[in-house]
Amino acid sequence: MRSALPRALGSAASRGFWQSRAFVPRVWQSSSLKATTLSVRSLSSTPCLRSLDDDPDRKWSTPLAKQLADAISATGPVPLASFMRMCLTADIGGYYTGAIEEGRDQFGLKGDFVTSPEISQVFGELIGIWFVTEWMAQGKQSQGVELIEVGPGRGTLMDDMLRTIQKFGPMANSIDAVYMVEASPQLREVQKTLLCGADATMTESKVGWHSVCKYMSVPIVWTDTVKSIPNASEKMPFIVAHEFFDALPIHTFQCVEVPATQDIKPSPSDLSSPSTRTNQPTVQWREMLVSPTPPGSTHDTLRTPPSQSRDTPPPDFQLTLAQANTRHSLYLPESSPRYRAIKSQVGPGALIEVCPDAALYASDFAARIGGSAQYPKPQPKGAALILDYGPGDGTVPTNSLRGIRRHRRVSPFAEPGLTDLSADVDFAGIAESAVRASEGIEVHGPVDQGTFLDLMGIRERAEMLIKAATASATTDEAKQYAANIEKAWKRLVDRGPGGMGKVYKALAVLPENEGRRKPVGFGGDVVA
């Protein structure tokens, strides 16, 4: 479920805006390849733009757009990841953490998008059941269980999970704490009201903010970052990330053919690596950067694609191709054999998206479950369940950045701070990072959401709800309620073009057991 990005893994503060983290994803295995080309509207041949003062009366679509433009005017075009981070989590005007609209709610029919837990309570119930089955399969630990959600949104998913888990007394009694990784003060308050009650108090400590669950006497702790949650070897962490990874900032790179350098002796101002200066033509990665659109631009002049609504103001920004290396292009696209294979096999024109923050989170999850050199764990235990959209066949996402506003596709560069930004999740990259971060884990999936929910029993649970609704009343209202349940669960497993059951995927991280046991929902059975 989308939510504010934790600051420690991606600060939105203006002072750190341009310092986009360059993390090298760990190596897992080469996968099937897919790449595409990108038609670049304009090129940036130098790090500096013409002064925006050339048009001092230019009207920017949002205050954040002007702030971004002023910063770019001073520093030059910026990585896409930096742009996304600022749009989503800026202190003033950020989509999640600094909303500029009164009473704004990003979620639900009145917001910009609807997520699976908002569509049907059955979704969250089945996620809760999944963690119960893992708790059972791993020995029914009587204490030390932690529930952790990153990107909790309004708290709907965790609410359905807790309501379900409380019916399994032994597991409910084993829970030490529930952790909600949430950077937005507004969303923390919404989650507290739902999970603890409107009158529940919230206290603050060095770790975060604390209250008590309304379903069971379990503390709920909110933190800005997953790193604030203690990592103890005796704990059994159960981690859920629903529509979280898709909102993490990405870097985009295009493969180009670089002509031979006429003078391979570097000039004093040449910041390129010696390996990039050659007297032979080479194939290199170039980063796509964000710069303002020309003053007076329209949707027509910018060629806004038909798939994006033109009801918004024209985009304030656009992607440009750097003609020189950036610090990210020198090693991020070279950090995985999957990326290197695309470079060698597809060559010029290939496009890839790389999400360093996804590797950080995957590594953190893996270390909590399976242990690591920094956090040894004699007995791996716990599980992580990741549900999001993206290719499930090992391909690297390409050209997937999207903007959503009021349930419509819009340009991701229009109305910064008011537009939700997301990109396809690289599930193979997540598995790659998790496996390398800890020898004590293994990865299952991804599988289509439709398959996962079918195996979890979504049809049977929905039929129980429908039966209960129609048995208690025969009114038109009860019949409509039953029809809504039917419509909702079928939407979650729809495998048609663009259907949620096909587009969304589920991936699980478990303690390493040499593949002897598959988890429920991934082809395994319940272990009592």
Side-chain angles (χ1 to χ4, degrees), residues 95-115:
Y95 185 79
Y96 289 109
T97 53
I100 60 177
E101 291 181 327
E102 185 70 24
R104 181 176 177 189
D105 186 355
Q106 299 93 341
F107 308 94
L109 294 177
K110 296 181 180 180
D112 295 320
F113 52 84
V114 178
T115 60

Side-chain angles (χ1 to χ4, degrees), residues 23-30 334-338 340 428-429 431-437:
F23 177 79
V24 181
R26 299 180 181 275
V27 177
W28 180 43
Q29 62 182 14
S30 179
E334 303 292 343
S335 63
S336 168
R338 300 164 65 230
R340 294 195 294 270
E432 183 178 311
S433 298
V435 170
R436 282 299 300 269

Side-chain angles (χ1 to χ4, degrees), residues 199-484:
D199 297 329
T201 59
M202 180 183 284
T203 60
E204 187 174 356
S205 72
K206 292 182 179 180
V207 175
W209 298 263
H210 306 252
S211 194
V212 179
C213 177
K214 68 183 181 182
Y215 294 112
M216 54 193 93
S217 298
V218 172
I220 298 183
V221 184
W222 285 263
T223 68
D224 274 336
T225 167
V226 72
K227 293 296 184 183
S228 298
I229 302 174
N231 190 340
S233 62
E234 72 277 7
K235 300 296 185 180
M236 178 179 280
F238 289 126
I239 308 166
V240 61
H242 177 252
E243 286 203 54
F244 174 75
F245 280 85
D246 66 280
L248 295 178
I250 61 170
H251 292 265
T252 300
F253 303 95
Q254 186 168 358
C255 198
V256 301
E257 184 173 359
V258 179
T261 305
Q262 297 300 317
D263 180 8
I264 64 173
K265 182 178 180 180
S267 65
S269 62
D270 187 359
L271 301 179
S272 63
S273 167
S275 62
T276 65
R277 299 189 295 267
T278 175
N279 55 8
Q280 297 293 329
T282 59
V283 175
Q284 299 179 11
W285 292 105
R286 288 288 186 265
E287 186 165 12
M288 304 299 298
L289 304 176
V290 177
S291 62
T293 53
S297 295
T298 66
H299 283 293
D300 287 334
T301 61
L302 296 175
R303 299 180 182 178
T304 300
S307 61
Q308 298 175 1
S309 171
R310 295 194 173 194
D311 292 342
T312 66
D316 296 293
F317 301 93
Q318 63 185 348
L319 281 178
T320 60
L321 182 66
Q323 288 204 358
N325 286 303
T326 64
R327 63 191 182 97
H328 301 104
S329 68
L330 290 173
Y331 52 88
L332 274 182
E334 303 292 343
S335 63
S336 168
R338 300 164 65 230
Y339 309 149
R340 294 195 294 270
I342 290 176
K343 179 180 178 182
S344 63
Q345 296 178 20
V346 179
L351 183 73
I352 61 171
E353 295 170 354
V354 181
C355 182
D357 283 3
L360 288 171
Y361 279 101
S363 298
D364 181 273
F365 296 174
R368 289 179 185 276
I369 296 166
S372 64
Q374 183 178 4
Y375 299 104
K377 196 163 188 173
Q379 180 183 354
K381 50 190 170 183
L385 183 63
I386 299 168
L387 302 110
D388 226 310
Y389 50 84
D393 58 359
T395 58
V396 177
T398 60
N399 209 16
S400 72
L401 179 67
R402 60 182 64 81
I404 300 292
R405 180 136 164 79
R406 297 192 177 98
H407 304 277
R408 296 172 302 170
R409 289 284 296 271
V410 299
S411 168
F413 301 105
E415 297 185 296
L418 297 180
T419 300
D420 176 48
L421 302 180
S422 64
D424 284 358
V425 174
D426 184 0
F427 285 100
I430 290 175
E432 183 178 311
S433 298
V435 170
R436 282 299 300 269
S438 175
E439 295 181 354
I441 64 96
E442 62 185 33
V443 177
H444 294 262
V447 299
D448 291 348
Q449 177 174 286
T451 299
F452 173 78
L453 293 177
D454 279 343
L455 292 173
M456 289 299 301
I458 189 172
R459 177 188 295 272
E460 292 77 6
R461 174 55 180 159
E463 289 175 349
M464 289 175 59
L465 292 175
I466 293 172
K467 183 177 180 181
T470 54
S472 60
T474 58
T475 62
D476 290 340
E477 183 179 352
K479 292 179 181 179
Q480 183 60 51
Y481 178 68
N484 290 341

Side-chain angles (χ1 to χ4, degrees), residues 57-80:
D57 297 326
R58 178 169 182 174
K59 302 298 183 183
W60 300 97
S61 62
T62 64
L64 181 59
K66 185 179 187 307
Q67 183 181 356
L68 286 162
D70 289 344
I72 292 173
S73 178
T75 67
V78 299
L80 178 57

